[in-house]
Amino acid sequence: MFFGIRKYIFVFLCLFFSAASVSAQSAGSLSFPKPRFDLPLEQASSSGHIKLIWAPETELPQSGFDYQLQKSSAADFNQNTIIYTGDDLATYMSGLADGTYYFRLRHVEEKTTAPASPWSDTLILNVEHHSLTMALWLFVLGFFVFGAIVIVLLKGIKDVKA
Amino acid sequence: MFIQETILNSQLGWILLACLGVFWVALGMYWGRKAKNMEGFMLAGRNVGLALGTATAMATWITSNTTMLAPQFAFELGIWGMLAYSTASFGLFLFAPLARRIRQLMPSGFTSGDFVRLRYGKPTWIIFLLISIFYSLTWLISMGMAGGILMNALAGIPYQYGMSAILLVCVLYTLFGGLYAVIGTDYIQSLIILIGIVVVGYGVVSHVGVDEVYGHVSTEQPMLVNVLLPAAVMAFFNNMLFGIGEIFHSNVWWSRAFAMRQSVGQKAYFLSGFFWFPIPIAAGFIALAAGAIGINVTSPDMVGPLIAANILGKAGAVIVFIVFFCSLASSIDSLLAATSDLITEDVYRKMINPQADEQRTRKVAAGVVVGLGIFAWLVCLPRIGTLATVLFFAGPMVGSCIWPILTGLFWKRANATGAIFGMLSGSIIGLICYFTIGWYVASLIGAAVSMSVVVIVSLLSKDQFDWKQLDESQTVKASG
């Protein structure tokens, strides 16, 4: 019976400390509210660039924390990249290839970059570049127009000299 | 705004702005003493030599767009973007023989409007004036915006104050000195800009190598090194034709053609294109280095000055500030002077008061300079859009002017019907494409449509224009 009580006490202590640990983590990450993007969460781009803007948290202290922006090609952020950490309220991204990109934002401690808030809602960016066929046709058209200008100019100069 | 650390503190920024402003206004007053009459005020006595001619053409074409928009092109469209921007030099190259032809046909001409009026008649002239003045205003507004953005990015001077200061300085010295002041200050500004670009370019390459820049861009921004990036492929000839259209039609360039000595114009424009060509490439490379250096870009039109100032520290930031001030001033003064000439000569003297004497005309010209400055200031205040979207809105309109001007100077069969419908159809269809596809195709479409209309109408016509009608030497000279 004695050993049975110790077993229950042991299990209770394990559960207690686990709960305390989780509580401590969430108490730290909940010390700041989650940030939010200041634009619609569904975005599209036909040229591979976008300006991401996020809302300042005016009720928070002006220093001591940074924003951290994460990018991923997967909705669950399984593989991800931190693309910005700092106190700016926007970042301009360019040169993105066709595809879907996921972005999320959180606060981090300025010096340690330890998480200081939950992640924001996810912003989804769909990049679908203009048709290359159309682009090449326009390139050919431009070449033709430019060539015609040069020809008319050269002919005009020649006629004037004559 | 979006918080981005400035390199210069506001106090130093204001001191620099004040010193440069006073210096430029003083120069304007000094050179303005030469402007004894309207021909002196508007055309610097028609006696500008090769060195000044080359410098003024190059400096005027190095605008804040070159130092801020070229980096934006590179940052958004990559390698093709850089090259696309540098094709704007083709406008200078191709205008060289036009400058010679203009002086031959119109030895007493004053404005591009004079040419269109004499060549095609009044209806075409009015449409041309609307396009030209609209373009001049959008360019002026983009310059004003750039001034505010620049001062804010480098020194934290609030956008509204920086924009107001740069417009005020340019209005003052243009008012006092006319084209003498504009060309004289352009010469100094072009030297400063060239030296500054070399210093900044060397600084960036020393700080981060080409390999490192390429490595970062190809990993994080892969489409920027893709030669088949569709937006960039479309932008290549669009930008070239936009530049050609700007130069072919704008009185900024025609006034210089009239101001230069007859034997100088062609050489000056060719040389200016040659010197201008590598500058957007250098500016574009600077922008591509942003990621490798670790700079967060919050707005694409700030990427150039931000990186330059970040790399070179405080002393370099001062150099950058001066270079960008010069690039802005060299363009704003030209716009103010040329647009004032166009409105004064074509609208006031030709339409409203043909009997106006020189004193009256000079007052009107001065009033127009001030009025343009105030208008630009009011429109710049809310800071709408980025530089690219503001300026390229005029793209289809200026693109549609290429063929009426080109054929008007060299082809006797070109006529008013072709010119009018060319400009109208090119502008309308180009603007539709601007809104439905994007700004990077609008000028190309405008030029292509205009070309088709002008050529077809001219081929169907039996007109044979008499070139002597363009010489108004008996009647145009401003009375005095």
Side-chain angles (χ1 to χ4, degrees), chain B residues 39-364:
Chain B
E39 197 158 280
F41 186 78
M42 289 172 69
L43 299 176
R46 298 187 195 268
N47 196 33
V48 175
L50 182 61
L52 280 176
T54 304
T56 187
M58 194 195 79
T60 301
W61 208 218
I62 300 175
T63 67
S64 61
N65 292 334
T66 317
T67 50
M68 294 169 77
L69 192 55
Q72 181 178 344
F73 258 56
F75 197 71
E76 291 180 350
L77 303 177
I79 304 290
W80 266 122
M82 267 163 48
L83 293 173
Y85 207 91
S86 67
T87 62
S89 59
F90 282 61
L92 292 170
F93 289 133
L94 295 177
F95 193 73
L98 262 66
R100 183 185 170 124
R101 180 72 171 155
I102 289 165
R103 282 292 259 141
Q104 283 171 348
L105 291 175
M106 303 177 66
S108 307
F110 273 83
T111 67
S112 53
D114 281 343
F115 167 76
V116 175
R117 175 177 53 83
L118 294 167
R119 183 65 176 84
Y120 294 123
K122 200 165 178 180
T124 316
W125 176 44
I126 290 172
I127 292 170
F128 175 80
L129 283 179
L130 288 171
I131 290 176
S132 193
I133 292 170
F134 176 77
Y135 159 76
S136 299
L137 291 175
T138 57
W139 189 6
L140 184 61
I141 290 161
S142 76
M143 295 293 104
M145 280 174 56
I149 292 168
L150 165 73
M151 309 290 170
N152 185 249
L154 286 181
I157 295 173
Y159 166 81
Q160 291 81 357
Y161 296 151
M163 178 271 294
S164 304
I166 190 81
L167 281 175
L168 178 65
V169 166
C170 291
V171 165
L172 284 176
Y173 78 76
T174 306
L175 201 59
F176 292 136
L179 199 63
Y180 275 116
V182 168
I183 290 178
T185 53
D186 279 354
Y187 186 74
I188 299 173
Q189 287 155 355
S190 63
L191 291 175
I192 293 173
I193 290 165
L194 278 174
I195 293 169
I197 293 283
V198 167
V199 168
V200 171
Y202 179 76
V204 171
V205 171
S206 302
H207 187 91
V208 55
V210 175
D211 286 346
E212 198 178 331
V213 171
Y214 179 80
H216 185 273
V217 170
S218 56
T219 308
E220 302 298 329
Q221 299 167 287
M223 293 305 284
L224 298 190
V225 291
N226 185 342
V227 294
L228 293 179
L229 173 59
V233 170
M234 287 193 278
F236 188 83
F237 279 108
N238 185 75
N239 197 66
M240 184 194 292
L241 291 167
F242 182 49
I244 293 173
E246 286 186 274
I247 292 178
F248 274 28
H249 98 281
S250 173
N251 197 49
V252 168
W253 311 100
W254 283 68
S255 60
R256 276 157 178 75
F258 289 126
M260 294 183 203
R261 288 182 217 134
Q262 190 145 357
S263 59
V264 162
Q266 182 167 303
K267 289 178 217 163
Y269 274 104
F270 186 81
L271 279 173
S272 63
F274 180 75
F275 283 118
W276 192 92
F277 179 81
I279 291 175
I281 294 176
F285 173 76
I286 291 170
L288 292 177
I293 296 170
I295 291 175
N296 179 46
V297 178
T298 59
S299 187
D301 47 19
M302 289 200 296
V303 64
L306 200 62
I307 291 169
N310 196 281
I311 292 290
L312 298 176
K314 280 192 170 41
V318 171
I319 296 172
V320 165
F321 192 98
I322 295 170
V323 166
F324 285 123
F325 178 90
C326 290
S327 68
L328 279 165
S330 65
S331 304
I332 294 176
D333 62 8
S334 301
L335 273 166
L336 288 169
T339 311
S340 164
D341 292 350
L342 196 65
I343 294 173
T344 304
E345 182 66 18
D346 285 67
V347 178
Y348 179 70
R349 281 195 69 239
K350 293 290 190 299
M351 292 186 193
I352 298 173
N353 189 2
Q355 308 305 320
D357 60 18
E358 183 159 310
Q359 200 178 13
R360 181 93 182 131
T361 308
R362 182 92 182 242
K363 281 183 185 169
V364 169

